[in-house]
Amino acid sequence: MSKPMRRTGSARAPRPSGPARPSRRAPAAWAALAVPALASALALTGCSGAADTEPPGSTGAAASPSAAPTPTWAAVTGAPRTIPAVREFRAADGRGWRPTKGARVVVPAGERSGVADEARLLAADLGGLPVVWGDQTVRPGDVEVKLTGKEGAPVRDTADEAYTLTARDTRLTLAAPTDAGIFNATRTVKQAVRTGGGLPEGTIEDRPDRPQRGLLLDNARKPFSAEWIEARIREIADLKLNQFQLHFSDDQGFRIESSSHPEIVSADHLTKDQVRHLVQLATSLHVTVIPELDSPGHLGAVLAKHPDLQLRNAQGKAVHGAIDIANPKSAALVDDLLREYAELFTVPKGADGYWHLGGDEYQALTVSDPAASFPGLAKAAQQKYGAGATIKDLATGWLNDRQQTVRAAGRNRVEAWNDGFFRGGKVAADKDRTVAYWTGKEIGARDPAEFLREGRTVMNLNDEYLYYVLGQPNNFIYPTGERIYREWTPRVLRGTEPVSVGTDQTGPDRVPGARFAIWNDLAGAQTPDQIAHGIRMPLRALVQKLWDP
């Protein structure tokens, strides 16, 4: 969905030594998410229950074991307090672990290992602990970071994001099969230190339920600074959200520098260097950036400089935002941009390449009689696909062709909005295209059950719960964390009820997750700071529901 203004209808490791205690699971009440300490910034600003020794940060301690006596501190008590809450915690007898002066982050795999960056990040988060590499004695107070899988292994499912955290005998061990799992473990440590001063004695076993967890930002209708976007990427990474979709082109603006078509770029835009920095940062924080260049609708900013490509109806009236998909020059222009930005939004080696094609709300298909209103498109459809072909076939073919363009540029995970998929017709949407389901409220909208029965993957962006639309036009209401937490699940793809298919069709392989979307329809309704505040608790509720089934 990229234009909610058209919406109609109402909104809505090893086990620890010592006697084991019963498993403790995350509290199920929304109140747990609203604990003031958790609702505050996740940045590590201090620790409660401070240790008897000095704060961390000094690198002057000698490297020999004699320089690191066993720390003494008040025991860390209670289950870890994090968002998302850890799925399993087995408590044991002991004092737990706290960051102290003289503590180190130990990486047996060495400085060139795949978890080196995660170790350095954790050391910085804990106040500047030194990092030591290779075969080292893990001393009291130390943190050990252990990769249990193959070096450089890609993340293919949620098992690859799993991790184990063990606090035992004043030492802390992070273990995971991939660097993504280690990263998740570091976020748990950061939050647990922020909220409780450290990790209680025992073992955490944790992994997400859904592999795709993210935030969408409409940067086209309302431009945001690179600094604001960077802050959101850091925020979602700390919450273990792992996708950031950037909708950078629409009727109101085109917000990234272009070398192939500089004429279309809005005055307030991101430079390519800024985008490269954001992509690099996101990659380092295990966040995938998903570019969205919407077509064949929502191209007003592009068409303002290319009026000859604008769609016109039978009376010759220009249709705002819609490109003429019967004109070969239209495909050439959009493909130029797709290739340019596929090169800009780089994909790490071995990772999946994501792209969002848009495809929603093409104005030629929102009228009562498309063929009568747009005879040129109807004629082009039959010329290309034969007798009986319709404008829907032409629109489907347009997206198929654009998918081929981004696939040739290395993108193997391609999405489009659900209203860009049509029933029947002579041309079928590419079978590998993911349905980004945002609304069932528009005329002719297909039930998500249809897509699931067809065998498609469906991403949840339910506008009833996950749409933060500035100014609340057309009955949109700002979502709250509490409502998401109490009412929504990944199976609630449309409206307020679970989709009407069996649970075997709504598991993580078919409904891989969800994204929370910021749409700036009335761009002046809130400032960037107000938006950042407004999405805080909804994001936290969302990730909890995606993390623990």
Side-chain angles (χ1 to χ4, degrees):
M1 176 276 174
S2 58
K3 195 184 178 190
M5 289 295 287
R6 288 198 62 254
R7 170 186 169 187
T8 58
S10 59
R12 279 289 91 23
R15 291 180 178 270
S17 59
R21 295 178 181 170
S23 291
R24 298 182 184 179
R25 287 183 56 82
W30 164 253
L33 288 177
V35 173
L38 296 184
S40 65
L42 286 175
L44 183 63
T45 56
C47 305
S48 59
D52 295 338
T53 52
E54 295 180 35
S58 172
T59 59
S64 66
S66 61
T70 301
T72 58
W73 52 60
V76 182
T77 59
R81 295 164 61 206
T82 64
I83 297 175
V86 300
R87 289 177 63 168
E88 183 179 358
F89 168 56
R90 299 189 298 274
D93 287 335
R95 288 174 291 163
W97 176 89
R98 295 179 186 273
T100 59
K101 182 179 179 180
R104 309 167 305 164
V105 176
V106 181
V107 187
E111 191 169 4
R112 294 187 178 182
S113 74
V115 295
D117 289 344
E118 287 71 26
R120 293 187 185 97
L121 178 62
L122 178 62
D125 287 338
L126 295 176
L129 298 183
V131 184
V132 294
W133 313 95
D135 187 12
Q136 302 275 341
T137 299
V138 181
R139 307 184 312 203
D142 280 352
V143 181
E144 185 180 17
V145 177
K146 295 173 62 176
L147 185 67
T148 61
K150 183 179 179 181
E151 184 76 34
V155 174
R156 295 303 182 207
D157 57 36
T158 55
D160 297 324
E161 290 192 81
Y163 67 90
T164 301
L165 266 174
T166 304
R168 179 167 56 190
D169 299 333
T170 72
R171 297 166 177 84
L172 182 65
T173 301
L174 288 65
T178 67
D179 56 345
I182 291 293
F183 178 80
N184 289 335
T186 68
R187 301 307 85 194
T188 295
V189 173
K190 179 179 179 179
Q191 288 197 39
V193 170
R194 171 68 182 85
T195 60
L199 277 297
E201 195 86 0
T203 301
I204 292 169
E205 297 279 359
D206 202 15
R207 62 181 285 181
D209 177 49
R210 306 283 163 155
Q212 298 185 37
R213 312 172 298 276
L215 172 67
L216 179 156
L217 176 65
D218 168 16
N219 192 46
R221 293 180 180 88
K222 182 182 181 73
F224 291 83
S225 69
E227 292 76 16
W228 191 93
I229 296 173
E230 177 174 334
R232 302 290 73 71
I233 291 173
R234 292 185 184 278
E235 177 183 10
I236 66 174
D238 274 350
L239 290 169
K240 305 188 182 83
L241 294 164
N242 61 2
Q243 291 183 337
F244 181 75
Q245 181 175 336
L246 186 63
H247 177 89
F248 63 88
S249 171
D250 212 301
D251 297 339
Q252 295 81 355
F254 193 99
R255 303 294 179 183
I256 297 178
E257 175 187 357
S258 173
S259 55
S260 67
H261 291 280
E263 73 281 358
I264 68 175
V265 180
S266 301
D268 195 341
H269 65 271
L270 299 172
T271 68
K272 286 192 173 183
D273 282 345
Q274 288 174 322
V275 173
R276 290 187 188 100
H277 170 74
L278 291 170
V279 171
Q280 183 179 30
L281 170 71
T283 300
S284 73
L285 298 175
H286 295 271
V287 173
T288 298
V289 178
I290 304 174
E292 182 194 349
L293 203 170
D294 201 348
S295 79
H298 297 285
L299 284 171
V302 172
L303 294 171
K305 301 299 182 179
H306 293 271
D308 56 310
L309 300 182
Q310 191 155 21
L311 179 66
R312 296 180 180 274
N313 65 16
Q315 289 73 45
K317 182 179 179 181
V319 180
H320 185 62
I323 202 166
D324 182 358
I325 58 177
N327 188 335
K329 292 181 180 180
S330 297
L333 171 62
V334 173
D335 282 349
D336 281 348
L337 296 170
L338 292 174
R339 294 187 190 100
E340 178 178 3
Y341 293 111
E343 183 177 345
L344 177 63
F345 288 87
T346 54
V347 178
K349 184 178 180 180
D352 285 325
Y354 285 81
W355 196 276
H356 200 297
L357 294 172
D360 62 311
E361 298 178 325
Y362 188 49
Q363 298 296 299
L365 295 172
T366 62
V367 296
S368 59
D369 190 343
S373 296
F374 301 96
L377 295 183
K379 181 180 179 180
Q382 295 194 28
Q383 288 176 337
K384 187 169 185 178
Y385 298 113
T390 68
I391 297 175
K392 287 183 179 180
D393 292 310
L394 195 66
T396 300
W398 168 274
L399 287 183
N400 287 348
D401 291 344
R402 305 293 77 73
Q403 183 161 344
Q404 288 299 319
T405 298
V406 297
R407 182 175 286 155
R411 307 302 165 133
N412 62 331
R413 295 289 191 97
V414 181
E415 309 175 351
W417 296 110
N418 63 281
D419 44 340
F421 293 77
F422 307 107
R423 292 186 185 93
K426 301 193 69 172
V427 183
D430 190 292
K431 61 182 178 59
D432 293 328
R433 190 180 309 149
T434 293
V435 179
Y437 202 97
W438 72 277
T439 190
K441 300 181 176 74
E442 295 201 333
I443 296 173
R446 298 174 65 186
D447 191 302
E450 291 186 39
F451 298 117
L452 292 167
R453 293 189 186 108
E454 291 174 4
R456 291 191 180 275
T457 299
V458 181
M459 189 67 177
N460 193 323
L461 290 103
N462 185 342
D463 66 346
E464 180 73 20
Y465 293 97
L466 307 181
Y467 264 39
Y468 194 93
V469 184
L470 255 61
Q472 304 182 112
N474 299 323
N475 298 315
F476 278 103
I477 298 173
Y478 291 129
T480 67
E482 182 167 2
R483 185 167 183 243
I484 294 169
Y485 187 79
R486 292 190 185 281
E487 300 178 14
W488 178 87
T489 75
R491 296 189 70 235
V492 181
L493 287 156
R494 172 182 182 172
T496 61
E497 298 297 325
V499 63
S500 56
V501 297
T503 55
D504 61 323
Q505 295 187 63
T506 56
D509 58 328
R510 302 296 305 285
V511 182
R515 295 185 205 116
F516 186 86
I518 303 168
W519 293 107
N520 298 303
D521 289 49
L522 301 178
Q526 288 191 344
T527 66
D529 285 347
Q530 288 172 323
I531 295 168
H533 177 77
I535 67 174
R536 283 179 56 79
M537 296 311 288
L539 286 177
R540 284 148 178 76
L542 173 71
V543 75
Q544 182 62 50
K545 302 300 287 288
L546 293 171
W547 194 265
D548 190 340

